[in-house]
Amino acid sequence: MVKQLDYHTINEIFSRFEAAEAEPKGELEHVNAFTLVVAVALSAQATDAGVNKATRELFKIADTPQKMLDLGEEGVTEHIKTIGLFRQKAKNVIKLSRILVDEYGGEVPASRAALQSLPGVGRKTANVVLNMWFKYPAQAVDTHIFRVGNRTGIAVGKNVDVVERAIEDHIPAHFQQHAHHWLILHGRYTCVARKPKCAACLIRDLCQFEDKNL
């Protein structure tokens, strides 16, 4: 059973991540806070690449809540129909755009509670926006982070909320801003689900994964 790693080991892990890529970036394309909210909301049960392909043309004509409302639900649907659950997502995009116009003057609020009140926006989406746009050290735990956290011992927990708290509690403060991006990228490209690329891993000597593929 994987145990939670100690502070010094985690500090070394993130020092290596930082040395390899000092400023990790999210892969969802956006031009402002609003398009980031929409992109992250659309990414549920979809790949970032698939969302980017669908939103490139959408964001050229609708990069504000009002422009999205002007486009209308049918227009949004047409742009995002290659994404899973596109009909419900189109409804949510229009609903959240209306709320942003009516209640927030067309601006995206820098509040987790306010963000989570928007249709189609959960805690993970809110945390991504808070982190990427407002530079708040929020931790958005997706399937990659949940897997990496538990497999390595960086952040051990039975559900995403526990893993989120484990990240906040155990990762040194000076790494918190970029922590979730380092973990996502590590899970997406190295510590993959079925056959992790342990031989190419920066932290293989510190990781607690028993079935290391060397």
Side-chain angles (χ1 to χ4, degrees):
M1 182 178 177
V2 173
K3 295 181 180 180
Q4 178 67 51
L5 292 172
D6 62 75
Y7 175 90
H8 296 292
T9 303
I10 292 176
N11 189 71
E12 174 60 24
I13 285 172
F14 282 91
S15 294
R16 294 183 190 182
F17 285 155
E18 183 178 54
E21 188 170 6
E23 296 287 335
K25 304 294 183 184
E27 296 182 325
L28 283 173
E29 297 173 6
H30 58 284
V31 296
N32 55 29
F34 171 68
T35 54
L36 178 59
V37 171
V38 173
V40 182
L42 293 177
S43 72
Q45 298 182 329
T47 65
D48 286 2
V51 172
N52 290 339
K53 185 176 180 180
T55 58
R56 283 185 191 122
E57 294 304 314
L58 173 63
F59 291 160
K60 287 180 181 178
I61 60 175
D63 60 355
T64 69
Q66 187 59 58
K67 289 179 182 177
M68 197 68 76
L69 290 173
D70 293 342
L71 181 61
E73 186 177 322
E74 288 187 10
V76 175
T77 300
E78 186 63 26
H79 277 90
I80 68 169
K81 62 185 179 182
T82 56
I83 301 175
L85 307 176
F86 66 93
R87 294 189 188 282
Q88 183 58 50
K89 289 178 179 179
K91 292 180 186 295
N92 286 339
V93 168
I94 291 299
K95 288 178 181 177
L96 71 84
S97 296
R98 171 55 63 193
I99 291 171
L100 290 175
V101 168
D102 290 348
E103 299 183 19
Y104 297 99
E107 299 295 324
V108 174
S111 156
R112 182 184 285 117
L115 287 167
Q116 285 187 247
S117 73
L118 299 174
V121 176
R123 186 178 180 87
K124 185 185 78 171
T125 298
N127 282 349
V128 171
V129 175
L130 289 172
N131 181 284
M132 290 181 63
W133 191 260
F134 296 107
K135 305 305 179 184
Y136 183 80
Q139 307 302 331
V141 179
D142 68 353
T143 55
H144 295 300
I145 292 181
F146 186 79
R147 179 178 66 255
V148 172
N150 279 290
R151 181 183 276 171
T152 61
I154 292 172
V156 177
K158 293 182 179 180
N159 58 57
V160 294
D161 292 335
V162 177
V163 170
E164 181 182 329
R165 289 196 296 273
I167 292 172
E168 294 172 345
D169 290 345
H170 297 289
I171 294 176
H174 52 285
F175 293 129
Q176 288 280 333
Q177 180 63 51
H178 294 312
H180 95 272
H181 279 132
W182 279 316
L183 292 171
I184 286 173
L185 296 172
H186 190 63
R188 186 171 288 166
Y189 297 110
T190 302
C191 195
V192 295
R194 294 189 178 181
K195 193 175 181 180
K197 302 173 184 177
C198 300
C201 178
L202 286 172
I203 63 168
R204 61 185 177 272
D205 57 316
L206 303 174
C207 171
Q208 290 202 52
F209 183 47
E210 294 180 356
D211 301 322
K212 289 180 184 176
N213 174 27
L214 300 178

